[in-house]
Every structure is written in C-alpha cells, then in structure tokens.
Amino acid sequence: MKSYKNLYPQICAFDRLYFAWRKARRNKRYTPAAARFERTLDSQLLALHQELTQETYQPSGYVHFIVHEPKRRKISAAPFRDRVVHHALVGVLEPIYERKFIVDSYANRHGKGTHKALDRCTHYMRRFKYVLQCDVRQFFPSIDHEILKTTLARTIVCRPTLHLCEQIIDSGVGVLADEYKVHYFPGDDLFAAGRPRGLPIGNQTSQFWANVYLNELDQFVKHALRCAGYVRYVDDFLLFADDKVILHRWRDAIIVFLQTLRLTLHEQRAQVSPVEQGIPFLGFTVYPEYRYLKRTKGVAYRRHLQTMWRHYQAGRITREQGRASVMAWLGHVRHGDTFALRQRIFREATA
C-alpha cells in the first residue's frame, strides 16, 4: 500500500488557503461569518498560515441545530475559519484517496453525485434479477475515531498532516453522543461505551472521511465477495445478483465484516427482492425502465412551494430567488418520470 509524506507544506501554503477560502464561501458569501472573514481576508489567511505552519492551530467549537428534512438530523457547523482549514486539508488528501476509491461510490466526489448513482442503479437493475438493499444504522454517530485514525495512518505518514487530521477528528468527540445508541461488539468490555466516536454532520472533512471509512467496506464487497453489481451513496448501498442465495450469503458476510468497523446494518431493512418490485433509493422509487419521485418528496416540496409563493406575494423574497429555488428542484426531479407530477404541484401551489 502506497503511503504519502511531505503533505503538510501543501496544506499550509498561502495559495492553498486562498483557494480553500473561495470554496468555503461558496453559497455562503453573504452570511455574517463569511462577510466578517472577507473584510480582513489577508490578515485572516495570514493568521491561519502562521498557526498551521507553527503547528499552533486549534479547532474551535461547533454551533448545533436540528433539521427535519428528509429526517431528523443534528447538524454541527464549524466556525468559518475552521471550514477554510477543512477545505485546505481535503484539497490535498482527496486526490490521494480518489485513486483508492472504487468507481461505484457516488457521494461527495467530483463527477459523481445522486443522479449518476441513480443511473448506475438503473444499469444494474437491467442486468441482474435481484437486489439486496442495505443501510448502516446511525452511521455518522457510530464512526469510531481510533479506527478512522488507524485507517488514515496507513496512507498518510506525514506527521503534522496526521496530527491535523486527529485534531479535527477529536474536535467532534461527543458532538453526536445523544444521537448514538450504544452497541456492544464481540470482545467489548464495559469501557467500550466510552470509545470516542462520531463525526459532525456538516463538516467538509466528515463527508470526505465517511468515504475513507466505508472504502474498507467497498473493497471487501468488490474483492472479497466479488460482487459485480454494487452501488454506494454515503451509508446506503445496493448489491445486485441473479441468485437470491448468494445475496443472502453476502448479507451475512457484510454484517460480520461491519463489526470490524464497529458498524451495524438496519438488518430488518436489509432484504433481498426482485428488481421488478422497484427500489426506494435517493428520493426516488427506481424500476428497470423508469423511476418515480417518492410521494413524501413530492408532498414536502408542494408545501415548500406554497410557502415560497406566499413569501413572494408578500414581498419577502424576490422573483429571482424564487426562480432559482424552483429551477434547482426541477433540475433534480427531471431525472425521474415526473412530468405530470410537476404540472400538478405547480398548479396546486399557485391556485
């Protein structure tokens, strides 16, 4: 396994921090934190450069809030200056790990994404008869810090870079403690409940490290199980085959393998079914020849659109703001057979 040294000077470089700032402010330029940082940009970036170079940088605390769409999640937002560091770090590490990742991992990667994952799902549904659908229980709250650090250390042998990774990982200790239900694995003692775990949902580093963590599963599925049809998006993944017995065998093997990562499946949901029955995946119900938007997604957007229409009529949002939101949603749902649904939603929302 190839390892990498001398990465830290690339992370600390002023140019790297400048481009990291540009990424961090994307879609957030006019938020108070981003605006304050930009007002004294040169001094802010110079301070970060010096702290990183002298290895005196310390991550700050998080701001937490709850979102309920599509399901309840606790989001932890890092201060803006820390987000700049996260982008600088990921910008250096990402190309290294891209060489390690499999083709059919689609979350938070350049040139991938939801729609390509859906297209790949359709491709495999036309090729195979059966599917095993799996998702990891409490994924982000369950990510074990010791395992993640060990995984990173197998590739990163640059001491200050690894130390920076560990600082950011450690800053998330306890952030999702109230979201985690303790699970004991074979060989655990009572102290296992206190193992540091959890990555803050919302960090650029968390999204990247989630792929690093589950790359172990990807490699197991592709090389140990030799599964030809496999798609993963974050902690949701599909295995395809023409033999139900093989898929049941793979399910058992995955449950055992995930114990090495201190993860568990939603076993009740992990069932084998014919592809013709359709697969609920990434907000759509996917069939071999077509796909529909899930009903809950359509209902939620209809409510959102009605609220936005009232705000527009009251002058709280501009026509351009409303149009941008609508076009973004249309760009997403056009990847399904949704023409009649779109017409009905807009007719009802503006009635």
Side-chain angles (χ1 to χ4, degrees):
M1 180 181 293
K2 186 173 182 180
S3 56
Y4 293 82
K5 305 176 182 178
N6 303 318
L7 300 173
Y8 200 63
Q10 299 176 47
I11 299 167
C12 300
F14 194 88
D15 287 350
R16 171 73 64 181
L17 292 172
Y18 174 77
F19 286 112
W21 161 71
R22 289 177 64 91
K23 285 188 175 182
R25 73 167 185 169
R26 194 173 296 163
N27 301 323
K28 300 181 184 295
R29 186 172 187 179
Y30 300 108
T31 61
R36 283 194 300 270
F37 193 93
E38 188 169 353
R39 275 200 298 270
T40 55
L41 179 62
D42 288 346
S43 60
Q44 291 277 8
L45 293 181
L46 183 59
L48 277 178
H49 170 71
Q50 291 175 338
E51 289 175 32
L52 289 168
T53 302
Q54 297 167 8
E55 298 185 43
T56 58
Y57 167 77
Q58 292 290 333
S60 301
Y62 293 91
V63 175
H64 309 290
F65 56 94
I66 303 295
V67 299
H68 294 275
E69 181 62 34
K71 59 184 179 182
R72 185 190 181 280
R73 290 184 300 164
K74 182 179 181 181
I75 306 297
S76 303
F80 188 82
R81 75 190 308 266
D82 287 346
R83 281 180 257 160
V84 173
V85 175
H86 297 171
H87 278 277
L89 175 63
V90 172
V92 172
L93 298 186
E94 195 171 48
I96 293 171
Y97 279 92
E98 275 295 321
R99 303 182 191 111
K100 297 175 176 289
F101 293 159
I102 66 168
V103 171
D104 283 327
S105 163
Y106 288 91
N108 307 308
R109 295 177 64 191
H110 297 297
K112 302 288 186 177
T114 303
H115 303 137
K116 295 227 172 145
L118 288 165
D119 290 343
R120 194 63 163 169
C121 174
T122 298
H123 168 77
Y124 285 134
M125 291 180 79
R126 293 172 179 173
R127 181 178 167 188
F128 297 101
K129 294 179 181 179
Y130 300 102
V131 62
L132 168 65
Q133 184 168 16
C134 303
D135 68 299
V136 177
R137 186 191 301 270
Q138 303 174 322
F139 174 53
F140 279 97
S142 299
I143 293 176
D144 188 87
H145 288 193
E146 182 180 340
I147 293 174
L148 176 58
K149 291 175 184 178
T150 301
T151 302
L152 291 169
R154 290 204 297 265
T155 299
I156 303 167
V157 294
C158 173
R159 184 200 57 79
T161 300
L162 198 56
H163 176 64
L164 178 60
C165 291
E166 291 170 348
Q167 282 185 296
I168 297 171
I169 293 169
D170 291 342
S171 72
V173 170
V175 164
L176 294 177
D178 53 346
E179 306 291 311
Y180 179 75
K181 184 177 179 180
V182 175
H183 181 91
Y184 288 95
F185 294 90
D188 279 354
D189 54 26
L190 292 177
F191 295 103
R195 290 176 68 102
R197 62 173 65 84
L199 293 182
I201 301 173
N203 273 7
Q204 177 74 10
T205 47
S206 298
Q207 297 170 11
F208 171 65
W209 283 330
N211 275 336
V212 172
Y213 203 81
L214 282 186
N215 182 56
E216 305 294 310
L217 171 66
D218 297 341
Q219 301 298 334
F220 173 75
V221 170
K222 296 301 290 184
H223 299 295
L225 301 184
R226 304 183 71 82
C227 175
Y230 174 70
V231 179
R232 182 176 65 80
Y233 192 94
V234 194
D235 59 327
D236 293 317
F237 55 97
L238 310 171
L239 290 82
F240 296 86
D242 286 325
D243 189 335
K244 290 190 290 186
V245 174
I246 288 177
L247 285 172
H248 283 292
R249 191 182 306 145
W250 287 349
R251 177 185 182 274
D252 294 341
I254 287 169
I255 290 171
V256 173
F257 177 80
L258 284 177
Q259 292 178 3
T260 67
L261 299 176
R262 302 188 67 79
L263 298 175
T264 58
L265 282 186
H266 278 110
E267 294 188 24
Q268 300 249 333
R269 301 180 196 170
Q271 303 298 327
V272 176
S273 60
V275 296
E276 287 84 359
Q277 291 184 2
I279 305 170
F281 189 51
L282 303 180
F284 290 84
T285 302
V286 187
Y287 295 88
E289 301 302 330
Y290 53 91
R291 66 181 73 126
Y292 293 139
L293 188 71
K294 289 177 70 175
R295 183 181 180 279
T296 53
K297 299 292 183 180
V299 170
Y301 189 75
R302 181 164 54 233
R303 291 173 182 161
H304 171 72
L305 190 62
Q306 289 170 340
T307 301
M308 192 165 57
W309 178 249
R310 289 195 297 270
H311 287 338
Y312 169 68
Q313 290 180 316
R316 298 191 191 101
I317 63 171
T318 66
R319 181 185 182 89
E320 290 72 24
Q321 288 173 318
R323 186 177 186 278
S325 175
V326 169
M327 294 305 293
W329 185 76
L330 288 176
H332 172 59
V333 299
R334 279 175 178 154
H335 287 264
D337 298 275
T338 59
F339 179 75
L341 174 67
R342 283 178 269 147
Q343 285 190 316
R344 187 171 70 252
I345 285 178
F346 284 101
R347 185 170 58 248
E348 293 173 358
T350 57

